[in-house]
Amino acid sequence: MTLSRRGLGAAALSGLAAPAFAQAPWPNAQPIRLVVPFAPGGTTDIIARILSAELSRRIGQTVLVENRPGAGGTLGTGQVARAAPDGYTLVLSLISAMVVGKVLYGDRAAWSPDRDFAQVAMVMSTPYLILVRPDLPIRSLAELVAEARRRPDGLSYGTSGTGGMPHLVMVRFLQAAGIQMTHVPYRGAAPVVTDIAAGVLPMMVDSLTAASANIRSGALRALAHTWPERVPAFPDIPTFREEGFADLVVDGWSGIAAPAGTPRPILERLAQAVRETLATPEVQRRYAETATAPGRLFLDDAQRFVREEIATWTPIIRASGATVD
């Protein structure tokens, strides 16, 4: 499928369409790259692979997932910011990179999450959790805090990388509880789970999307999560609010974005494909399996949402004392 001649003409008149777009109607020229700025096996990778097959069918062109991890998600995100705005390079935009990573890496992330990207859609939201080994005699945040006070600097935790939202969630929790633990950053969540199973680490922080299967199997025990209310699929897991940490409310959202300047007809076509994809029974089933909430914002509404998240989180991140140095 390609855009109609009427759509192409309107884009050309508006000055949005690049010459290459007019000469080779999108998306016939080549596969579409969906860059995931984190390693395989984590939340963003899971969601990208759930969506890519259905998006390929609806767009009429292959959507290839490409993992580009590094620097708290800012490396792969920045590569897409510099890509040609032709609809063939997209990024899974997420709070860890677009907001947290950008603030923590500052000028080293030489792009703007608002100015350099056109948001296509929000595709998901998920809470974060503190997860412990099932053999660890800790079953609540209160017990975790007590153990950390009994053994200052004696506990360690793993995350998918320095500067990501799991890291920031734990930094905020440790500051609120007045305790210390050693952060062990990995390049992705999957190796953290492996080391926890091997007894190398006692705990980790991850999203419910990524951890749901391990929670159901008993491989990990969840102590609390960051949504304001309990998750219906996991009603036994309390919220941080319930456990006395009223300010620890975090939504781990992800979206799909294109480089700024991508022609509006392409963005609209992508947004419609995402909307249809999120409504399919198969995607809804996969989301339900991982207790993931689908996104509901598209185009200008999604752009506005990201802008508001930047304004909300920037002072919180700076006040938290989190650092990547």
Side-chain angles (χ1 to χ4, degrees):
M1 293 178 65
T2 61
L3 293 176
S4 68
R5 291 184 180 181
R6 181 179 179 183
L8 289 173
L13 287 173
S14 68
L16 292 175
F21 175 59
Q23 294 167 6
W26 185 89
N28 289 344
Q30 63 198 59
I32 297 166
R33 295 166 56 230
L34 176 56
V35 173
V36 174
F38 282 95
T43 307
T44 51
D45 185 64
I46 291 169
I47 292 301
R49 294 180 190 279
I50 288 175
L51 298 176
S52 60
E54 188 63 36
L55 280 174
S56 297
R57 285 191 286 272
R58 296 190 174 274
I59 294 171
Q61 181 61 271
T62 303
V63 177
L64 300 174
V65 175
E66 184 176 307
N67 296 91
R68 293 279 181 173
T74 63
L75 181 62
T77 303
Q79 290 172 348
V80 175
R82 296 186 295 272
D86 56 10
Y88 291 103
T89 306
L90 308 173
V91 67
L92 207 68
S93 61
L94 52 144
I95 187 171
S96 289
M98 288 273 174
V99 181
V100 182
K102 176 57 183 172
V103 174
L104 293 183
Y105 282 85
D107 293 340
R108 284 174 286 177
W111 46 267
S112 163
D114 187 26
R115 183 188 65 244
D116 294 326
F117 292 94
Q119 297 295 329
V120 173
M122 292 293 106
V123 297
M124 64 154 286
S125 65
T126 185
Y128 297 96
L129 312 95
I130 293 179
L131 304 141
V132 301
R133 282 201 325 257
D135 64 329
L136 207 66
I138 294 174
R139 295 186 171 274
S140 69
L141 288 186
E143 291 180 1
L144 179 61
V145 170
E147 181 66 10
R149 287 176 177 160
R150 190 179 69 82
R151 292 195 295 147
D153 296 320
L155 292 176
S156 59
Y157 68 96
T159 74
S160 55
T162 299
M165 187 55 80
H167 178 208
L168 181 65
V169 166
M170 196 63 163
V171 167
R172 288 182 62 189
F173 167 67
L174 296 177
Q175 289 178 341
I179 57 177
Q180 295 182 348
M181 294 184 194
T182 301
H183 179 216
V184 184
Y186 287 71
R187 289 180 64 86
V192 189
V193 177
T194 299
D195 276 2
I196 286 180
V200 177
L201 284 173
M203 74 189 81
M204 69 181 296
V205 184
D206 205 355
S207 76
L208 183 55
T209 298
S212 56
N214 284 319
I215 296 172
R216 286 190 172 107
S217 71
L220 293 170
R221 181 191 304 132
L223 300 184
H225 69 74
T226 63
W227 270 0
E229 299 176 353
R230 294 203 182 199
V231 178
F234 292 90
D236 295 334
I237 303 175
T239 68
F240 277 91
R241 274 185 170 179
E242 292 176 82
E243 297 292 288
F245 298 90
D247 294 334
L248 240 173
V249 177
V250 183
D251 183 16
W253 54 261
S254 293
I256 291 177
T262 300
R264 183 71 180 196
I266 291 178
L267 297 177
E268 291 176 351
R269 172 79 178 281
L270 284 165
Q272 183 59 30
V274 173
R275 189 190 301 271
E276 293 171 357
T277 292
L278 291 173
T280 60
E282 175 61 15
V283 170
Q284 290 185 350
R285 180 185 67 80
R286 297 287 300 278
Y287 269 48
E289 287 176 352
T290 56
T292 302
R296 302 185 186 279
L297 300 177
F298 301 87
L299 298 172
D300 296 341
D301 290 336
Q303 192 83 16
R304 189 179 306 109
F305 171 76
V306 171
R307 193 178 300 128
E308 291 170 352
E309 284 286 275
I310 294 166
T312 297
W313 275 97
T314 295
I316 295 173
I317 296 164
R318 288 175 175 162
S320 74
T323 177
V324 295
D325 296 324

